Coordinates of all heavy atoms in Angstrom, one line a residue:
Y334 N 11.2 26.1 3.1 CA 12.4 25.2 3.3 C 13.7 26.0 3.4 O 14.6 25.6 4.2 CB 12.5 24.2 2.2 CG 11.4 23.1 2.3 CD1 10.3 23.1 1.5 CD2 11.5 22.2 3.4 CE1 9.3 22.1 1.7 CE2 10.5 21.2 3.6 CZ 9.4 21.2 2.7 OH 8.5 20.3 2.9
A335 N 13.8 27.1 2.7 CA 14.9 28.0 2.9 C 15.0 28.5 4.3 O 16.1 28.6 4.9 CB 14.9 29.1 1.8
Q336 N 13.9 28.9 4.8 CA 13.8 29.4 6.2 C 14.3 28.4 7.2 O 15.1 28.7 8.1 CB 12.4 29.9 6.5 CG 12.2 30.4 7.9 CD 10.8 30.7 8.3 OE1 9.9 30.6 7.5 NE2 10.5 31.2 9.5
Q337 N 13.8 27.1 7.0 CA 14.2 26.1 7.9 C 15.7 25.7 7.7 O 16.4 25.4 8.6 CB 13.3 24.8 7.7 CG 11.9 25.1 7.8 CD 11.5 26.0 9.0 OE1 11.9 25.8 10.1 NE2 10.8 27.1 8.7
F338 N 16.1 25.7 6.4 CA 17.5 25.3 6.1 C 18.5 26.3 6.7 O 19.6 25.9 7.2 CB 17.7 25.2 4.6 CG 19.0 24.7 4.1 CD1 19.3 23.4 4.0 CD2 20.0 25.6 3.7 CE1 20.5 22.9 3.6 CE2 21.3 25.2 3.3 CZ 21.5 23.8 3.3
F339 N 18.1 27.5 6.7 CA 19.1 28.6 7.2 C 18.9 28.9 8.7 O 19.4 29.8 9.2 CB 19.0 29.8 6.4 CG 19.5 29.6 5.0 CD1 18.7 29.6 3.9 CD2 20.9 29.4 4.8 CE1 19.2 29.5 2.6 CE2 21.4 29.2 3.5 CZ 20.6 29.2 2.4
D340 N 18.1 28.1 9.4 CA 18.0 28.2 10.9 C 19.4 28.1 11.4 O 20.0 27.0 11.3 CB 17.0 27.1 11.4 CG 16.8 27.2 12.9 OD1 17.7 27.7 13.6 OD2 15.8 26.8 13.4
P341 N 19.9 29.1 12.1 CA 21.3 29.0 12.6 C 21.6 27.9 13.6 O 22.7 27.4 13.7 CB 21.5 30.4 13.2 CG 20.2 30.9 13.6 CD 19.3 30.3 12.5
T342 N 20.5 27.4 14.2 CA 20.7 26.2 15.2 C 20.8 24.9 14.4 O 21.2 23.9 15.0 CB 19.6 26.2 16.2 OG1 18.4 25.8 15.6 CG2 19.4 27.5 16.9
G343 N 20.3 24.9 13.2 CA 20.3 23.6 12.4 C 19.1 22.8 12.7 O 18.9 21.7 12.1
L344 N 18.2 23.3 13.6 CA 17.0 22.4 14.0 C 15.8 22.6 13.1 O 14.8 21.9 13.3 CB 16.7 22.7 15.4 CG 17.8 22.4 16.5 CD1 17.2 22.6 17.9 CD2 18.3 21.0 16.3
G345 N 15.8 23.6 12.2 CA 14.6 23.9 11.4 C 14.2 22.7 10.6 O 13.0 22.3 10.6
I346 N 15.1 22.1 9.8 CA 14.7 21.0 9.0 C 14.3 19.7 9.8 O 13.2 19.1 9.5 CB 15.9 20.6 8.0 CG1 16.0 21.7 7.0 CG2 15.6 19.3 7.3 CD1 14.8 21.9 6.0
P347 N 15.1 19.3 10.8 CA 14.6 18.1 11.6 C 13.3 18.3 12.3 O 12.5 17.4 12.4 CB 15.8 17.9 12.6 CG 16.6 19.1 12.5 CD 16.4 19.7 11.2
L348 N 13.0 19.5 12.8 CA 11.7 19.8 13.4 C 10.6 19.6 12.4 O 9.6 19.0 12.7 CB 11.7 21.2 14.0 CG 12.4 21.5 15.3 CD1 12.4 22.9 15.6 CD2 11.8 20.7 16.4
A349 N 10.8 20.2 11.2 CA 9.8 20.0 10.1 C 9.6 18.6 9.7 O 8.4 18.1 9.6 CB 10.2 20.9 8.9
M350 N 10.7 17.9 9.5 CA 10.6 16.5 9.1 C 9.9 15.6 10.1 O 9.0 14.8 9.8 CB 12.0 15.9 8.8 CG 12.7 16.5 7.7 SD 11.9 16.4 6.1 CE 11.4 18.1 5.9
E351 N 10.2 15.8 11.4 CA 9.6 15.0 12.4 C 8.1 15.2 12.5 O 7.3 14.2 12.5 CB 10.2 15.3 13.8 CG 9.6 14.4 14.9 CD 10.2 14.6 16.2 OE1 11.4 15.1 16.3 OE2 9.5 14.3 17.3
E352 N 7.6 16.4 12.4 CA 6.2 16.7 12.5 C 5.4 16.2 11.3 O 4.4 15.6 11.4 CB 5.9 18.2 12.7 CG 6.4 18.7 14.0 CD 5.9 17.9 15.2 OE1 4.7 17.4 15.2 OE2 6.7 17.7 16.2
L353 N 6.0 16.4 10.1 CA 5.3 15.9 8.9 C 5.2 14.4 8.8 O 4.2 13.8 8.4 CB 6.0 16.5 7.6 CG 5.8 18.0 7.4 CD1 6.7 18.5 6.3 CD2 4.4 18.5 7.3
F354 N 6.3 13.8 9.2 CA 6.3 12.3 9.1 C 5.6 11.7 10.3 O 5.2 10.5 10.2 CB 7.8 11.8 9.0 CG 8.3 11.9 7.6 CD1 8.7 13.1 7.0 CD2 8.4 10.8 6.7 CE1 9.1 13.3 5.7 CE2 8.8 10.9 5.4 CZ 9.2 12.1 4.9
W355 N 5.4 12.4 11.3 CA 4.5 12.0 12.4 C 3.0 11.9 11.8 O 2.3 11.0 12.1 CB 4.5 13.0 13.5 CG 3.5 12.8 14.6 CD1 3.6 12.0 15.7 CD2 2.1 13.3 14.6 NE1 2.4 12.0 16.4 CE2 1.5 12.9 15.8 CE3 1.4 14.2 13.8 CZ2 0.2 13.2 16.2 CZ3 0.1 14.6 14.1 CH2 -0.5 14.1 15.3
G356 N 2.7 12.8 10.9 CA 1.4 12.8 10.2 C 1.2 11.6 9.4 O 0.3 10.8 9.6
D357 N 2.1 11.4 8.4 CA 2.1 10.2 7.6 C 3.3 10.2 6.7 O 3.6 11.2 6.0 CB 0.8 10.1 6.7 CG 0.8 8.9 5.8 OD1 0.7 7.8 6.3 OD2 1.0 9.1 4.6
A358 N 4.0 9.1 6.7 CA 5.3 9.0 6.0 C 5.1 9.1 4.5 O 5.9 9.8 3.8 CB 6.1 7.8 6.3
G359 N 4.1 8.4 3.9 CA 4.0 8.4 2.4 C 3.6 9.8 1.9 O 4.2 10.3 1.0
I360 N 2.6 10.4 2.5 CA 2.2 11.8 2.1 C 3.3 12.7 2.4 O 3.6 13.6 1.5 CB 0.9 12.2 2.8 CG1 -0.3 11.3 2.4 CG2 0.6 13.7 2.6 CD1 -1.6 11.6 3.1
A361 N 4.0 12.6 3.5 CA 5.1 13.5 3.8 C 6.2 13.4 2.8 O 6.8 14.5 2.4 CB 5.6 13.2 5.2
L362 N 6.5 12.2 2.4 CA 7.6 12.1 1.4 C 7.2 12.7 0.1 O 8.0 13.3 -0.7 CB 7.9 10.6 1.2 CG 9.2 10.3 0.4 CD1 10.4 11.0 1.1 CD2 9.5 8.8 0.3
S363 N 5.9 12.7 -0.3 CA 5.4 13.4 -1.5 C 5.6 14.9 -1.3 O 5.9 15.6 -2.3 CB 4.0 13.1 -1.7 OG 3.8 11.8 -2.2
I364 N 5.4 15.4 -0.1 CA 5.6 16.8 0.2 C 7.0 17.2 0.2 O 7.4 18.3 -0.3 CB 4.9 17.2 1.5 CG1 3.4 17.0 1.4 CG2 5.2 18.6 1.9 CD1 2.6 17.2 2.6
V365 N 7.9 16.4 0.8 CA 9.3 16.8 0.9 C 10.3 16.2 -0.1 O 11.4 16.6 -0.1 CB 9.8 16.5 2.4 CG1 8.9 17.1 3.4 CG2 10.0 15.0 2.6
G366 N 9.8 15.3 -0.9 CA 10.6 14.6 -1.9 C 11.4 15.5 -2.8 O 12.5 15.3 -3.2
T367 N 10.8 16.6 -3.2 CA 11.4 17.6 -4.0 C 12.7 18.2 -3.3 O 13.7 18.6 -4.0 CB 10.5 18.8 -4.3 OG1 9.4 18.3 -5.2 CG2 11.1 20.0 -5.0
G368 N 12.7 18.2 -2.0 CA 13.8 18.7 -1.3 C 15.1 18.0 -1.5 O 16.2 18.7 -1.5
L369 N 15.1 16.7 -1.8 CA 16.4 16.0 -2.1 C 17.0 16.6 -3.4 O 18.2 16.7 -3.4 CB 16.1 14.5 -2.2 CG 17.4 13.7 -2.4 CD1 18.3 13.9 -1.2 CD2 17.0 12.2 -2.5
A370 N 16.2 16.8 -4.4 CA 16.7 17.4 -5.6 C 17.2 18.8 -5.4 O 18.3 19.2 -5.9 CB 15.6 17.4 -6.7
A371 N 16.5 19.5 -4.5 CA 16.9 20.9 -4.2 C 18.3 20.9 -3.5 O 19.1 21.7 -3.8 CB 15.8 21.6 -3.4
V372 N 18.4 19.9 -2.6 CA 19.7 19.8 -1.8 C 20.8 19.4 -2.8 O 21.9 19.9 -2.7 CB 19.6 18.7 -0.7 CG1 20.9 18.4 -0.1 CG2 18.7 19.3 0.4
G373 N 20.5 18.6 -3.8 CA 21.5 18.3 -4.8 C 22.0 19.5 -5.6 O 23.2 19.6 -5.8
V374 N 21.1 20.4 -5.8 CA 21.5 21.7 -6.5 C 22.3 22.5 -5.5 O 23.3 23.1 -5.8 CB 20.3 22.4 -7.1 CG1 20.7 23.7 -7.7 CG2 19.6 21.5 -8.1
L375 N 21.8 22.6 -4.3 CA 22.4 23.5 -3.3 C 23.8 23.0 -3.0 O 24.8 23.7 -2.7 CB 21.6 23.5 -2.0 CG 20.3 24.3 -2.1 CD1 19.4 24.0 -0.8 CD2 20.5 25.8 -2.2
A376 N 24.0 21.6 -3.0 CA 25.3 21.0 -2.6 C 26.3 21.2 -3.7 O 27.5 21.2 -3.5 CB 25.1 19.6 -2.2
N377 N 25.9 21.2 -5.0 CA 26.8 21.1 -6.1 C 26.7 22.3 -7.1 O 27.6 22.4 -7.9 CB 26.5 19.8 -6.9 CG 26.7 18.5 -6.0 OD1 27.8 18.3 -5.6 ND2 25.7 17.8 -5.8
G378 N 25.7 23.1 -7.0 CA 25.5 24.1 -8.0 C 26.1 25.4 -7.7 O 26.5 25.7 -6.6
T379 N 26.1 26.3 -8.7 CA 26.5 27.7 -8.6 C 25.4 28.5 -8.0 O 24.2 28.1 -8.0 CB 27.0 28.3 -9.9 OG1 25.9 28.3 -10.8 CG2 28.1 27.4 -10.5
E380 N 25.7 29.7 -7.6 CA 24.6 30.6 -7.1 C 23.6 30.9 -8.2 O 22.4 30.9 -8.0 CB 25.2 31.9 -6.6 CG 25.9 31.8 -5.3 CD 26.4 33.1 -4.8 OE1 25.9 34.2 -5.3 OE2 27.2 33.2 -3.8
E381 N 24.0 31.0 -9.4 CA 23.1 31.3 -10.6 C 22.2 30.0 -10.8 O 21.0 30.2 -11.0 CB 23.9 31.6 -11.8 CG 23.0 31.9 -13.0 CD 23.8 32.2 -14.3 OE1 25.0 32.3 -14.2 OE2 23.1 32.5 -15.3
Q382 N 22.8 28.8 -10.7 CA 22.0 27.6 -10.9 C 21.0 27.4 -9.8 O 19.8 27.1 -10.1 CB 22.9 26.4 -11.0 CG 23.8 26.4 -12.3 CD 24.8 25.3 -12.3 OE1 25.4 25.0 -11.2 NE2 25.2 24.7 -13.4
I383 N 21.4 27.7 -8.6 CA 20.5 27.6 -7.5 C 19.3 28.6 -7.7 O 18.1 28.2 -7.5 CB 21.2 27.9 -6.2 CG1 22.2 26.8 -5.9 CG2 20.2 28.0 -5.0 CD1 23.2 27.1 -4.7
G384 N 19.6 29.8 -8.0 CA 18.6 30.8 -8.2 C 17.6 30.5 -9.4 O 16.5 30.9 -9.4
T385 N 18.2 29.8 -10.4 CA 17.4 29.5 -11.6 C 16.5 28.3 -11.4 O 15.3 28.3 -11.7 CB 18.3 29.3 -12.8 OG1 19.1 30.5 -13.1 CG2 17.5 28.9 -14.0

Side-chain angles (χ1 to χ4, degrees):
Y334 286 106
Q336 179 185 358
Q337 305 319 308
F338 185 82
F339 290 110
D340 181 334
T342 69
L344 299 187
I346 290 294
L348 284 172
M350 295 301 107
E351 180 175 339
E352 294 307 322
L353 292 174
F354 280 75
W355 173 89
D357 179 68
I360 292 176
L362 194 57
S363 287
I364 293 173
V365 308
T367 290
L369 185 59
V372 168
V374 177
L375 290 167
N377 299 297
T379 64
E380 289 187 9
E381 182 179 358
Q382 289 170 329
I383 292 168
T385 298

